[in-house]
């Protein structure tokens, strides 16, 4: 018999973690994956993008979160061990997928993907299957192992139970980021009794179910998700920074398309401006290099690029008012015109952001992206969808709240040295 390439570590490795106390690594495979350069790169990508401008503690990285998802998965699998429906041979594929599920995230993913039309899930797939250190490690397990890990992450894996551990309405991913984001932002939402939930999770044929006795702990989890969305993830100030960031990328690309001569040439971005960024190009990007360009672009000739970078770095953000362009079409057109007259390019300085652009899915059974709804395992052995059993969850299910805001540079509109009359008109119209 051939000895498997990876076994158990001689001595367990532990990472100190502020959320889960310790993260335990016993498998050589997991240890090797953590040591790859593609995984280490996640240290240089923040978990919550621009949220740190609102909650200054939110500087934690995707590295941090990825280890947490791995650890929760490891604990779930300890509960599953020896139970019917759980195949112990799936253990390593589940742990690897948990660790690597976000490995394709880049610098400020949300804005970057919007402007350069890329997708972190595609990059994840390429990192797992392409010419990378991660792929080499996975391929040492078996020739089909990397593909199996990619399939779990893409939710096409044959064993749906494995997928649902990492990606469902109550999964290791969400349980980690809710607690982690609550911890680092310092808010009092986002806490729930994970130990209890882990204890009542049961492996079913094609999904994880929750014993009915654990329903209240799950209600708490759903509520914390609901509150985190509105209090943290959709925070209007964070969105203001996100708006400016998106416009920086957009402006840099537009200048490049026009043949503008950058004082500080954005070598790292050229292939993305051309829509031809390769995996190697992508892996060279992180938030340090992105911030470096923002620093340098504060000295560019182009007034818009320069101004946006100064704003982003010094937190001179756009102000906002409630505004729904679908209902206020006339005002919207008038504003565009007035902004032009005040020498403010409305493409960059008058921006509507709707929070439904962001992932909104605290709990919507059925209607949601392929994520399985939560099922309770009733004492009679039957499964029942959570919102049919829980009044609390039913009350907040399927209620989509969209929030439209209009962002603009109030400081400029209040500077009356130029375009005094026009600026006054704009302020009156916006009621600021
Ligand atoms: Zn994640």
């Amino acid at each position: 018999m051939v000895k498997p390439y990876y076994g158990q570590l001689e001595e367990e490795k532990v990472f100190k973690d502020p959320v889960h106390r310790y993260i335990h690594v016993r498998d050589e495979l997991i240890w090797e994956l953590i040591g790859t350069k593609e995984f280490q790169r996640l240290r240089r990508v923040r978990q919550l993008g621009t949220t740190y401008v609102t909650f200054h503690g939110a500087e934690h990285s995707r590295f941090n979160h990825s280890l947490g998802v791995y650890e929760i998965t490891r604990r779930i699998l300890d509960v599953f061990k020896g139970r019917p429906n759980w195949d112990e041979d799936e253990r390593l594929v589940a742990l690897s997928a948990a660790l690597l599920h976000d490995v394709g995230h880049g610098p400020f993913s949300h804005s970057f993907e919007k402007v350069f039309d890329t997708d972190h899930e595609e990059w994840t797939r390429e990192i797992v299957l392409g010419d990378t250190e991660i792929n080499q490690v996975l391929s040492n397990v078996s020739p089909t192992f990397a593909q199996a890990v990619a399939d779990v992450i893409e939710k096409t894996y044959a064993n749906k139970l494995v997928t649902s551990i990492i990606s469902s309405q109550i999964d290791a991913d969400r349980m980690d980021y809710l607690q982690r984001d609550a911890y680092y932002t310092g808010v009092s939402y986002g806490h729930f009794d994970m130990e209890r939930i882990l204890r009542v999770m049961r492996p079913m044929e094609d999904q994880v179910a929750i014993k009915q006795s654990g329903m209240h702990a799950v209600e708490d989890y759903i509520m914390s998700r609901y509150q985190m969305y509105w209090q943290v993830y959709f925070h209007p100030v964070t969105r203001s920074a996100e708006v400016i960031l998106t416009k920086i990328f957009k402006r840099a690309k537009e200048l490049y398309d026009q043949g503008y001569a950058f004082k500080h040439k954005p070598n790292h971005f050229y292939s993305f401006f051309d829509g031809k960024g390769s995996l190697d190009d992508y892996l060279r990007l992180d938030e340090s290099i992105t911030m470096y360009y923002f620093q340098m672009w504060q000295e560019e000739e182009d007034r818009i690029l320069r101004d946006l970078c100064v704003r982003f770095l010094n937190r001179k953000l756009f102000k906002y008012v409630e505004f729904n362009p679908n209902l206020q079409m006339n005002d919207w057109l008038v504003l565009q015109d007035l902004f032009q007259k005040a020498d403010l390019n409305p493409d960059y300085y008058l921006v509507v952001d709707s929070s439904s652009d962001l992932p909104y899915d605290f709990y919507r059974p059925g209607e949601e992206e392929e994520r399985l709804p939560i099922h309770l395992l009733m004492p009679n052995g039957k499964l029942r969808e959570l919102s049919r059993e829980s009044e609390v969850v039913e009350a907040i299910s399927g209620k989509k709240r969209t929030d439209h805001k209009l962002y603009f540079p109030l400081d400029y509109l209040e500077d009356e040295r130029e375009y005094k009359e026009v600026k006054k008109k704009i302020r009156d119209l916006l009621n600021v």
Side-chain angles (χ1 to χ4, degrees), residues 92-156:
L92 281 181
V93 78
L95 292 177
S96 305
L99 187 72
L100 301 176
H101 78 287
D102 275 343
V103 80
H105 270 290
F108 304 111
S109 289
H110 189 64
S111 303
F112 186 88
E113 291 179 7
K114 216 166 165 180
V115 177
F116 299 116
D117 195 25
T118 66
D119 174 4
H120 66 267
E121 291 180 358
E122 288 278 322
W123 292 116
T124 299
R125 182 184 165 77
E126 284 201 39
I127 292 167
V128 169
L129 298 176
D131 181 14
T132 58
E133 291 184 8
I134 283 179
N135 181 265
Q136 275 170 23
V137 173
L138 296 173
S139 300
N140 285 336
V141 179
S142 83
T144 54
F145 190 72
Q147 186 63 56
V149 172
D151 289 348
V152 175
I153 297 173
E154 286 177 6
K155 309 182 195 94
T156 54

Side-chain angles (χ1 to χ4, degrees), residues 76-286:
I76 293 173
L77 299 189
D78 275 356
V79 176
F80 284 6
K81 200 171 177 181
R83 288 191 184 275
N85 296 318
W86 178 246
D87 176 356
E88 196 61 14
D89 286 349
E90 302 279 22
R91 189 174 154 276
L92 281 181
V93 78
L95 292 177
S96 305
L99 187 72
L100 301 176
H101 78 287
D102 275 343
V103 80
H105 270 290
F108 304 111
S109 289
H110 189 64
S111 303
F112 186 88
E113 291 179 7
K114 216 166 165 180
V115 177
F116 299 116
D117 195 25
T118 66
D119 174 4
H120 66 267
E121 291 180 358
E122 288 278 322
W123 292 116
T124 299
R125 182 184 165 77
E126 284 201 39
I127 292 167
V128 169
L129 298 176
D131 181 14
T132 58
E133 291 184 8
I134 283 179
N135 181 265
Q136 275 170 23
V137 173
L138 296 173
S139 300
N140 285 336
V141 179
S142 83
T144 54
F145 190 72
Q147 186 63 56
V149 172
D151 289 348
V152 175
I153 297 173
E154 286 177 6
K155 309 182 195 94
T156 54
Y157 193 59
N159 186 335
K160 300 263 174 287
L161 171 59
V162 175
T163 308
S164 79
I165 296 168
I166 294 148
S167 175
S168 61
Q169 293 261 8
I170 187 159
D171 58 24
D173 184 21
R174 291 180 177 187
M175 284 198 278
D176 183 77
Y177 74 63
L178 288 177
Q179 296 178 87
R180 192 166 298 279
D181 298 343
Y183 176 88
Y184 283 96
T185 52
V187 300
S188 56
Y189 326 99
H191 301 285
F192 56 92
D193 190 352
M194 184 178 76
E195 299 304 321
R196 173 96 184 112
I197 292 177
L198 295 187
R199 250 197 298 278
V200 293
M201 283 184 145
R202 289 292 175 270
M204 306 305 286
E205 206 176 310
D206 56 0
Q207 63 179 293
V208 180
I210 308 285
K211 275 174 71 183
Q212 192 214 12
S213 60
M215 184 176 84
H216 297 298
V218 176
E219 285 177 344
D220 220 19
Y221 157 87
I222 302 274
M223 288 310 288
S224 77
R225 187 169 166 74
Y226 174 80
Q227 286 164 333
M228 283 297 281
Y229 264 75
W230 289 103
Q231 300 300 322
V232 176
Y233 303 136
F234 291 166
H235 197 288
V237 174
T238 306
R239 283 158 60 195
S240 177
E242 199 75 41
V243 161
I244 293 174
L245 185 62
T246 308
K247 296 301 175 187
I248 293 176
F249 286 137
K250 179 178 144 81
R251 185 63 179 173
K253 182 178 184 319
E254 190 166 282
L255 290 173
Y256 172 81
D257 290 344
Q258 291 167 4
Y260 169 83
F262 284 90
K263 267 201 217 166
H264 300 285
K265 295 192 174 49
N267 294 316
H268 288 81
F269 289 108
Y270 281 149
S271 57
F272 294 96
F273 291 155
D274 284 331
K276 290 192 279 215
S278 69
L279 179 58
D280 281 343
D281 296 334
Y282 189 70
L283 289 170
R284 265 198 296 275
L285 294 178
D286 58 29

Side-chain angles (χ1 to χ4, degrees), residues 244 307-308 311 316-320 339 344-345 348-351 406-415 423 426-427 430:
I244 293 174
D307 176 63
L308 293 172
R311 286 180 180 279
K316 298 283 173 260
L317 303 177
F318 290 171
K319 290 288 181 253
Y320 57 88
F339 267 60
L344 268 178
N345 184 337
Y348 293 96
Y349 291 101
L350 185 65
V351 187
L406 181 68
Y407 289 87
F408 52 90
L410 181 62
D411 49 306
Y412 181 82
L413 297 175
E414 281 176 341
D415 178 354
K423 286 177 177 175
I426 295 175
R427 292 201 312 272
L430 293 173

